[in-house]
Amino acid sequence: MTYRAPLAEIGFTLKYGAALAGAIEEGLFGDLSLDEVDAVLSEAGRVAAEVIAPLNRVGDKYGASFKDGVVTTAPGWKEAYKTWRTGGWNGVAAPAEWGGQALPQTIAAACAEMLHSSSVAFADGPMLTMAAIDALDAHGSDALKRAYLEKLVSGEWMASMQLTEPQAGSDVGALRTRADRAGDGTYRLKGQKIFITYGEHDLTDNIIHLVLARLPDAPPGTRGISLFLVPKFLLNGDGTPGARNDIRAHSVEHKLGIHGSPTCTMILGDSGGAIGFLIGQENAGMACMFTMMNRARLHVGLQGVGVAECATQLAIAYARERKQGRIAGMKSAEMAPIIAHPDVRRMLLTMRALTNAARVICYTTAMAIDRAERSADETTRAKWHDQASLLTPVAKAFSTDIANEVTSLGVQVHGGMGYIEETGAAQLFRDARIAAIYEGTNGIQGIDLVTRKLPLKDGAVVAAHIGQLRGVVESLSASNDPGFGWSAVRLGDAVESLSRTTAWLLGRLDKEPDTALAGATPYLRLFALAIGGCLLAQEALAALRLGADAAARLAAARFFAENLAVQAGALERTVVEGASGVLGAEAALAS
Ligand SMILES: Cc1cc2nc3c(=O)[nH]c(=O)nc-3n(C[C@H](O)[C@H](O)[C@H](O)COP(=O)(O)OP(=O)(O)OC[C@H]3O[C@@H](n4cnc5c(N)ncnc54)[C@H](O)[C@@H]3O)c2cc1C
């Protein structure tokens, strides 16, 4: 069984979970219609399922090979990339000025989810290119935009994002790659970058590297970092690729998963210095890179959703076919499909509910970005910008954490066959693992949420968000639909746990920062359970209201509230009561 694009599920979550339908009705996206949305999703799903998904296994088996500085992608990948590129998929949300379709980020998010479902390793390259387009469009000079944006939007060229060095991983401020002013407005870069995704490959004629480096007179730490555009091939006067720049791949890594995605060690400046062009201002590179990273963080979250969706589909199909044991009332000679066993159902429902919750959180984050970009007045745009900032670390970390859990459950549902490569469940488990690590580890996302996002507007941004969640709980209570079971009570408890824990953390950030940091990861989970549960309930209420296939949505929302959101209370105690035990636990780590 291969991936099937879940168009009905994705479309409904987009329109009513993330409220795209309402935004279209109020005219946020001009004359865009719901029919056009459906047409885009359907074609994206076709390309993902029919063109790319069949090559995922090939990418895993052959990987990306390295010889004499040249990286060769797996058989069939070049052709698949050409199909993907000529379909215009790089430019779904890119500005029309550079050849993009300027569609909402929410639609781009749904397309990205399907691409990630089809192959995480393949999707990595386009994902970083889309993020680079955002950064260049937001911060690049007119000359740089004119020279590079059209080719990146069309996918004729791809981009890489280069932060990491051996001594500078989570601590980006420790990077040492050096950039010297050449005196003609350009810079010469020297240094080494590691773990660079699609740093070298054979899919495009040119690769546009976005590289963080430090000027000789830069202040220490992140305040002294600048962002440079370093093309693999410098451009001729007519804009075509010309002389080779002084940047090359030294090797590709052998990895646990995403074998098809080349992860390169890059050497800059072997022969005098790689020519770089400044993006934004000197020493202001982190702000520019954050534009790229924030977009990439949401897309890595969508990677989590995509791979979790694929694992869930695979596991449900297997559980319907595989027969073992009996259930009450069966004839003794018969064996039941394992989906009939309550414990297997619990695993499958956990997979489905976590995946749906991560999806609606990611799409809601994308909608906040759309409103931050397109709302009519500055105050409203700023309000949505804050919402997007608050939600981005949750979307990234929760979706990729659950991708690890869901793909692991996927292996479990398959039993011994899950551990054998041919089912595909094992590859999904291996491919999912990286998403919680790159684009800022999930630990760093928790820290970002607690130390930077909770204090936004003195806590008013998170307070407003919690207020919205209370509104959903009230609607749920008011619905009085018995199909929701205990959902309203359990979600109400989760939201109040979130509210109390938020206040507790905000009260400690200044005086006891370590106490707050000790609870950052469980707090992020608590946040996600409360918001995920409420958004699923809201979606189920919409389905009931519209008379649209409500049973599946209601069942998933109820399962989430009664079986997963109930963990919120325990997480509250973990944060509030457990912190001192974390900080005072030296003895347990002594050996
Ligand atoms: C396959 C792959 C592809 C990648 N692609 C790219 C790419 O395209 N471009 C790029 O620039 N980089 C890329 N990376 C690098 C990736 O972003 C880093 O690996 C990641 O940011 C973590 O850095 P590190 O590996 O140095 O781990 P460390 O920073 O050494 O972290 C180790 C552990 O310590 C924790 N930790 C570290 N600091 C803190 C802290 N202050 N507080 C709490 N916990 C902390 C981390 O959460 C983690 O659990 C890639 C990595 C891989 C493996």
Side-chain angles (χ1 to χ4, degrees), residues 104-168:
Q105 296 291 348
T106 21
I107 296 181
C111 296
E113 179 203 314
M114 292 187 265
L115 181 67
H116 288 298
S117 279
S118 69
S119 171
V120 172
F122 183 92
D124 263 349
M127 170 179 80
L128 289 170
T129 305
M130 288 186 238
I133 291 167
D134 282 343
L136 195 53
D137 188 44
H139 306 287
S141 65
D142 287 346
L144 283 181
K145 288 186 198 180
R146 273 197 305 276
Y148 294 98
L149 268 178
E150 222 172 277
K151 303 278 192 194
L152 288 170
V153 170
S154 73
E156 195 172 329
W157 298 342
M158 272 165 79
S160 85
M161 177 172 104
Q162 306 203 4
L163 296 83
T164 308
E165 299 178 10
Q167 78 295 342

Side-chain angles (χ1 to χ4, degrees), residues 23 48 61 154 201 259 278 350 367 370 511 533 555 571:
K61 190 168 167 202
S154 73
H201 57 84
H259 294 159
L278 185 70
T350 303
M367 177 52 78
D370 275 325
K511 293 194 184 113
L571 289 163

Side-chain angles (χ1 to χ4, degrees), residues 128 161-164 169-170 195-197 255 258 263 434 437-439 441 444 447:
L128 289 170
M161 177 172 104
Q162 306 203 4
L163 296 83
T164 308
S170 302
F195 299 159
I196 302 306
T197 300
K255 311 188 291 289
I258 56 166
T263 308
I434 185 59
I437 296 172
Y438 59 19
E439 276 316 322
T441 64
I444 297 297
I447 293 169

Side-chain angles (χ1 to χ4, degrees), residues 497-543:
S497 276
L498 176 65
S499 174
R500 286 190 298 271
T501 314
T502 303
W504 188 88
L505 285 170
L506 279 168
R508 265 145 197 90
L509 275 178
D510 282 344
K511 293 194 184 113
E512 301 170 54
D514 276 357
T515 311
L517 288 179
T521 291
Y523 174 74
L524 188 146
R525 183 69 169 211
L526 161 56
F527 197 116
L529 289 177
I531 181 178
C534 287
L535 288 172
L536 287 181
Q538 186 170 266
E539 215 181 294
L541 285 170

